[in-house]
Amino acid sequence: MPALTQLARLMTRPDPLLTWRWIPGAVPFGAEYGVDTSYVETFEIPFNNVKTEGVFCAGGYSYFPGFHDVSAFNVTFYGDSKGNALKYIMGWKSKVKSFKTGIYALPPEFKRDWHVSLLDPAGEIVITVALEGCWPADTGQISLTYEDGGSRITFNQNFSVDNCKVL
């Protein structure tokens, strides 16, 4: 049997996962503000990463695994004419810290898990990623302008996360 060319080998692979074939799990605290999964427009998926630690020996560095970390991730929310998404973001952030008193809450009061699933071309779930211990950290700024007739507002929210599991 002759060897397959690289192109022939590539054509034997399964269909690709696509960036637009995904569904988020329930929006944590979303029901309190009328925000469901239809408000989630983009979702970045972070993964566990292992930091490298350099140890100097024999005139150079040797590298070893250090602590693990999960990068923060961003979610973009649809900004509706009722302000639900912004109320949702500010409401969840107020569960983290009272901006009036300066008092922080305990993590069980504000940390929540969030899931997002990747779908195959037929719409079946292929992979679900569980992001554990999420809470809203940095909220992106909104640029308001009179130029070009403007465009719709979205809210970019950065979330801290403790752990990532691929299910």
Side-chain angles (χ1 to χ4, degrees):
M1 174 182 248
L4 293 176
T5 66
Q6 184 64 8
L7 180 58
R9 290 181 61 233
L10 295 175
M11 292 176 63
T12 64
R13 299 185 303 186
D15 290 332
L17 291 174
L18 302 170
T19 59
W20 57 272
R21 299 220 28 111
W22 58 278
I23 52 172
V27 178
F29 299 114
E32 296 175 33
Y33 302 93
V35 174
D36 60 20
T37 57
S38 71
Y39 279 74
V40 178
E41 294 193 353
T42 66
F43 200 111
E44 295 177 350
I45 300 176
F47 295 100
N48 285 320
N49 295 300
V50 179
K51 305 288 184 189
T52 57
E53 302 289 336
V55 176
F56 184 78
C57 59
Y61 282 95
S62 294
Y63 292 92
F64 299 93
F67 293 102
H68 94 273
D69 192 15
V70 183
S71 299
F73 66 98
N74 293 310
V75 175
T76 302
F77 293 95
Y78 168 73
D80 68 7
S81 60
K82 294 183 178 183
N84 289 345
L86 186 57
K87 290 174 187 173
Y88 162 71
I89 291 168
M90 293 302 123
W92 191 352
K93 287 178 87 168
S94 71
K95 293 178 187 305
V96 176
K97 174 189 176 181
S98 168
F99 292 96
K100 291 180 182 178
T101 65
I103 297 174
Y104 288 85
L106 295 173
E109 295 179 37
F110 62 84
K111 284 189 176 186
R112 292 294 181 269
D113 296 347
W114 209 341
H115 296 81
V116 63
S117 297
L118 304 178
L119 308 176
D120 67 13
E124 299 296 322
I125 294 175
V126 176
I127 296 169
T128 297
V129 177
L131 300 171
E132 300 175 332
C134 302
W135 56 276
D138 297 325
T139 305
Q141 299 174 351
I142 302 169
S143 296
L144 303 175
T145 181
Y146 289 112
E147 296 176 13
D148 300 327
S151 60
R152 66 187 186 89
I153 290 177
T154 58
F155 300 100
N156 187 29
Q157 179 59 53
N158 179 266
F159 288 90
S160 178
V161 59
D162 292 338
N163 191 31
C164 171
K165 290 184 182 176
V166 178
L167 310 174

